[in-house]
mmCIF file of all heavy atoms in Angstrom:
data_model
loop_
_atom_site.group_PDB
_atom_site.id
_atom_site.type_symbol
_atom_site.label_atom_id
_atom_site.label_comp_id
_atom_site.label_asym_id
_atom_site.label_seq_id
_atom_site.Cartn_x
_atom_site.Cartn_y
_atom_site.Cartn_z
ATOM 1 N N SER A 1407 -4.950 16.544 -2.775
ATOM 2 C CA SER A 1407 -4.701 16.685 -1.310
ATOM 3 C C SER A 1407 -5.466 17.899 -0.779
ATOM 4 O O SER A 1407 -6.076 17.871 0.294
ATOM 5 C CB SER A 1407 -3.207 16.773 -1.064
ATOM 6 O OG SER A 1407 -2.538 15.625 -1.465
ATOM 7 N N ALA A 1408 -5.379 19.018 -1.559
ATOM 8 C CA ALA A 1408 -6.058 20.252 -1.129
ATOM 9 C C ALA A 1408 -7.561 20.057 -1.043
ATOM 10 O O ALA A 1408 -8.209 20.534 -0.139
ATOM 11 C CB ALA A 1408 -5.682 21.368 -2.061
ATOM 12 N N MET A 1409 -8.098 19.392 -2.053
ATOM 13 C CA MET A 1409 -9.583 19.140 -2.039
ATOM 14 C C MET A 1409 -10.023 18.237 -0.959
ATOM 15 O O MET A 1409 -11.088 18.358 -0.391
ATOM 16 C CB MET A 1409 -9.987 18.608 -3.419
ATOM 17 C CG MET A 1409 -9.922 19.608 -4.535
ATOM 18 S SD MET A 1409 -10.986 21.089 -4.288
ATOM 19 C CE MET A 1409 -9.752 22.284 -3.648
ATOM 20 N N ALA A 1410 -9.151 17.249 -0.634
ATOM 21 C CA ALA A 1410 -9.477 16.358 0.510
ATOM 22 C C ALA A 1410 -9.543 17.128 1.797
ATOM 23 O O ALA A 1410 -10.439 16.901 2.669
ATOM 24 C CB ALA A 1410 -8.425 15.195 0.597
ATOM 25 N N VAL A 1411 -8.618 18.058 1.983
ATOM 26 C CA VAL A 1411 -8.616 18.894 3.187
ATOM 27 C C VAL A 1411 -9.881 19.789 3.199
ATOM 28 O O VAL A 1411 -10.543 19.910 4.186
ATOM 29 C CB VAL A 1411 -7.358 19.766 3.256
ATOM 30 C CG1 VAL A 1411 -7.465 20.799 4.366
ATOM 31 C CG2 VAL A 1411 -6.116 18.887 3.429
ATOM 32 N N LEU A 1412 -10.202 20.362 1.996
ATOM 33 C CA LEU A 1412 -11.383 21.213 1.912
ATOM 34 C C LEU A 1412 -12.653 20.429 2.207
ATOM 35 O O LEU A 1412 -13.599 20.965 2.784
ATOM 36 C CB LEU A 1412 -11.432 21.824 0.531
ATOM 37 C CG LEU A 1412 -12.661 22.764 0.259
ATOM 38 C CD1 LEU A 1412 -12.724 23.892 1.276
ATOM 39 C CD2 LEU A 1412 -12.650 23.291 -1.141
ATOM 40 N N ALA A 1413 -12.672 19.157 1.774
ATOM 41 C CA ALA A 1413 -13.848 18.346 2.051
ATOM 42 C C ALA A 1413 -14.038 18.166 3.575
ATOM 43 O O ALA A 1413 -15.189 18.257 4.067
ATOM 44 C CB ALA A 1413 -13.712 16.970 1.401
ATOM 45 N N VAL A 1414 -12.976 17.968 4.288
ATOM 46 C CA VAL A 1414 -13.047 17.845 5.741
ATOM 47 C C VAL A 1414 -13.503 19.154 6.368
ATOM 48 O O VAL A 1414 -14.431 19.200 7.249
ATOM 49 C CB VAL A 1414 -11.724 17.453 6.337
ATOM 50 C CG1 VAL A 1414 -11.765 17.463 7.868
ATOM 51 C CG2 VAL A 1414 -11.287 16.081 5.842
ATOM 52 N N VAL A 1415 -12.959 20.268 5.889
ATOM 53 C CA VAL A 1415 -13.352 21.590 6.383
ATOM 54 C C VAL A 1415 -14.816 21.834 6.128
ATOM 55 O O VAL A 1415 -15.562 22.343 6.989
ATOM 56 C CB VAL A 1415 -12.452 22.701 5.770
ATOM 57 C CG1 VAL A 1415 -13.003 24.100 6.109
ATOM 58 C CG2 VAL A 1415 -11.035 22.603 6.198
ATOM 59 N N SER A 1416 -15.287 21.496 4.904
ATOM 60 C CA SER A 1416 -16.662 21.705 4.536
ATOM 61 C C SER A 1416 -17.616 20.853 5.413
ATOM 62 O O SER A 1416 -18.681 21.329 5.792
ATOM 63 C CB SER A 1416 -16.902 21.415 3.058
ATOM 64 O OG SER A 1416 -16.066 22.244 2.265
ATOM 65 N N ALA A 1417 -17.205 19.598 5.658
ATOM 66 C CA ALA A 1417 -18.000 18.742 6.484
ATOM 67 C C ALA A 1417 -18.149 19.321 7.909
ATOM 68 O O ALA A 1417 -19.226 19.285 8.482
ATOM 69 C CB ALA A 1417 -17.393 17.339 6.550
ATOM 70 N N VAL A 1418 -17.061 19.844 8.426
ATOM 71 C CA VAL A 1418 -17.113 20.487 9.727
ATOM 72 C C VAL A 1418 -18.018 21.743 9.654
ATOM 73 O O VAL A 1418 -18.808 21.992 10.548
ATOM 74 C CB VAL A 1418 -15.681 20.878 10.190
ATOM 75 C CG1 VAL A 1418 -15.798 21.767 11.494
ATOM 76 C CG2 VAL A 1418 -14.861 19.655 10.442
ATOM 77 N N GLY A 1419 -17.928 22.456 8.560
ATOM 78 C CA GLY A 1419 -18.718 23.653 8.346
ATOM 79 C C GLY A 1419 -20.224 23.336 8.357
ATOM 80 O O GLY A 1419 -21.018 24.103 8.878
ATOM 81 N N ILE A 1420 -20.587 22.213 7.739
ATOM 82 C CA ILE A 1420 -22.016 21.801 7.717
ATOM 83 C C ILE A 1420 -22.520 21.662 9.137
ATOM 84 O O ILE A 1420 -23.659 21.980 9.439
ATOM 85 C CB ILE A 1420 -22.143 20.486 6.911
ATOM 86 C CG1 ILE A 1420 -21.953 20.778 5.430
ATOM 87 C CG2 ILE A 1420 -23.558 19.888 7.114
ATOM 88 C CD1 ILE A 1420 -21.954 19.567 4.555
ATOM 89 N N VAL A 1421 -21.670 21.092 10.007
ATOM 90 C CA VAL A 1421 -22.087 20.863 11.420
ATOM 91 C C VAL A 1421 -22.042 22.125 12.255
ATOM 92 O O VAL A 1421 -22.912 22.398 13.055
ATOM 93 C CB VAL A 1421 -21.225 19.756 12.043
ATOM 94 C CG1 VAL A 1421 -21.555 19.521 13.506
ATOM 95 C CG2 VAL A 1421 -21.353 18.444 11.251
ATOM 96 N N ALA A 1422 -20.937 22.882 12.017
ATOM 97 C CA ALA A 1422 -20.679 24.034 12.923
ATOM 98 C C ALA A 1422 -21.329 25.348 12.478
ATOM 99 O O ALA A 1422 -21.596 26.188 13.293
ATOM 100 C CB ALA A 1422 -19.165 24.235 13.023
ATOM 101 N N ASP A 1423 -21.621 25.462 11.153
ATOM 102 C CA ASP A 1423 -22.169 26.718 10.641
ATOM 103 C C ASP A 1423 -23.676 26.536 10.434
ATOM 104 O O ASP A 1423 -24.081 25.752 9.593
ATOM 105 C CB ASP A 1423 -21.453 27.061 9.331
ATOM 106 C CG ASP A 1423 -21.775 28.488 8.856
ATOM 107 O OD1 ASP A 1423 -22.820 29.023 9.253
ATOM 108 O OD2 ASP A 1423 -20.989 29.053 8.082
ATOM 109 N N ILE A 1432 -25.033 25.803 3.979
ATOM 110 C CA ILE A 1432 -24.251 26.647 3.089
ATOM 111 C C ILE A 1432 -22.920 25.982 2.645
ATOM 112 O O ILE A 1432 -22.397 26.281 1.573
ATOM 113 C CB ILE A 1432 -24.020 28.029 3.743
ATOM 114 C CG1 ILE A 1432 -23.600 29.050 2.655
ATOM 115 C CG2 ILE A 1432 -22.970 27.933 4.847
ATOM 116 C CD1 ILE A 1432 -23.604 30.489 3.113
ATOM 117 N N TRP A 1433 -22.402 25.095 3.501
ATOM 118 C CA TRP A 1433 -21.158 24.422 3.143
ATOM 119 C C TRP A 1433 -21.330 23.129 2.340
ATOM 120 O O TRP A 1433 -20.380 22.463 2.052
ATOM 121 C CB TRP A 1433 -20.364 24.102 4.464
ATOM 122 C CG TRP A 1433 -19.742 25.327 5.032
ATOM 123 C CD1 TRP A 1433 -20.221 26.116 6.058
ATOM 124 C CD2 TRP A 1433 -18.471 25.885 4.656
ATOM 125 N NE1 TRP A 1433 -19.345 27.110 6.288
ATOM 126 C CE2 TRP A 1433 -18.266 27.022 5.492
ATOM 127 C CE3 TRP A 1433 -17.513 25.534 3.716
ATOM 128 C CZ2 TRP A 1433 -17.156 27.834 5.340
ATOM 129 C CZ3 TRP A 1433 -16.363 26.343 3.598
ATOM 130 C CH2 TRP A 1433 -16.205 27.484 4.399
ATOM 131 N N LEU A 1434 -22.573 22.835 1.972
ATOM 132 C CA LEU A 1434 -22.788 21.580 1.242
ATOM 133 C C LEU A 1434 -22.161 21.665 -0.149
ATOM 134 O O LEU A 1434 -21.603 20.686 -0.621
ATOM 135 C CB LEU A 1434 -24.303 21.270 1.116
ATOM 136 C CG LEU A 1434 -24.656 19.969 0.373
ATOM 137 C CD1 LEU A 1434 -24.050 18.759 1.066
ATOM 138 C CD2 LEU A 1434 -26.171 19.831 0.274
ATOM 139 N N PRO A 1436 -19.468 23.452 -1.301
ATOM 140 C CA PRO A 1436 -18.041 23.149 -1.318
ATOM 141 C C PRO A 1436 -17.671 21.690 -1.028
ATOM 142 O O PRO A 1436 -16.708 21.117 -1.581
ATOM 143 C CB PRO A 1436 -17.496 24.038 -0.211
ATOM 144 C CG PRO A 1436 -18.476 25.139 -0.104
ATOM 145 C CD PRO A 1436 -19.820 24.509 -0.436
ATOM 146 N N LEU A 1437 -18.488 21.037 -0.141
ATOM 147 C CA LEU A 1437 -18.246 19.613 0.105
ATOM 148 C C LEU A 1437 -18.441 18.780 -1.120
ATOM 149 O O LEU A 1437 -17.609 17.961 -1.462
ATOM 150 C CB LEU A 1437 -19.164 19.130 1.256
ATOM 151 C CG LEU A 1437 -19.117 17.649 1.564
ATOM 152 C CD1 LEU A 1437 -17.732 17.288 2.079
ATOM 153 C CD2 LEU A 1437 -20.179 17.269 2.584
ATOM 154 N N SER A 1440 -15.660 19.578 -3.774
ATOM 155 C CA SER A 1440 -14.342 19.113 -3.397
ATOM 156 C C SER A 1440 -14.213 17.604 -3.576
ATOM 157 O O SER A 1440 -13.231 17.105 -4.078
ATOM 158 C CB SER A 1440 -13.997 19.531 -1.950
ATOM 159 O OG SER A 1440 -14.959 19.046 -1.055
ATOM 160 N N LEU A 1441 -15.286 16.879 -3.152
ATOM 161 C CA LEU A 1441 -15.249 15.424 -3.307
ATOM 162 C C LEU A 1441 -15.231 15.041 -4.805
ATOM 163 O O LEU A 1441 -14.575 14.068 -5.204
ATOM 164 C CB LEU A 1441 -16.430 14.809 -2.615
ATOM 165 C CG LEU A 1441 -16.442 14.830 -1.096
ATOM 166 C CD1 LEU A 1441 -17.761 14.304 -0.523
ATOM 167 C CD2 LEU A 1441 -15.269 14.074 -0.517
ATOM 168 N N VAL A 1483 -15.870 28.895 -2.479
ATOM 169 C CA VAL A 1483 -15.630 29.053 -1.035
ATOM 170 C C VAL A 1483 -15.685 30.513 -0.622
ATOM 171 O O VAL A 1483 -16.288 30.851 0.435
ATOM 172 C CB VAL A 1483 -14.261 28.458 -0.643
ATOM 173 C CG1 VAL A 1483 -13.913 28.756 0.819
ATOM 174 C CG2 VAL A 1483 -14.215 26.949 -0.870
ATOM 175 N N VAL A 1486 -19.282 31.400 -0.271
ATOM 176 C CA VAL A 1486 -19.841 30.846 0.983
ATOM 177 C C VAL A 1486 -19.426 31.735 2.198
ATOM 178 O O VAL A 1486 -20.281 32.043 3.029
ATOM 179 C CB VAL A 1486 -19.279 29.390 1.203
ATOM 180 C CG1 VAL A 1486 -19.541 28.923 2.633
ATOM 181 C CG2 VAL A 1486 -19.980 28.450 0.237
ATOM 182 N N LEU A 1487 -18.196 32.149 2.196
ATOM 183 C CA LEU A 1487 -17.737 33.041 3.282
ATOM 184 C C LEU A 1487 -18.493 34.366 3.299
ATOM 185 O O LEU A 1487 -18.705 34.969 4.351
ATOM 186 C CB LEU A 1487 -16.229 33.279 3.177
ATOM 187 C CG LEU A 1487 -15.349 32.049 3.376
ATOM 188 C CD1 LEU A 1487 -13.880 32.384 3.104
ATOM 189 C CD2 LEU A 1487 -15.506 31.439 4.764
#
Side-chain angles (χ1 to χ4, degrees):
S1407 300
M1409 289 300 98
V1411 171
L1412 178 58
V1414 174
V1415 172
S1416 300
V1418 172
I1420 290 175
V1421 176
D1423 191 337
I1432 197 168
W1433 284 96
L1434 181 60
L1437 176 62
S1440 57
L1441 291 175
V1483 174
V1486 166
L1487 294 175

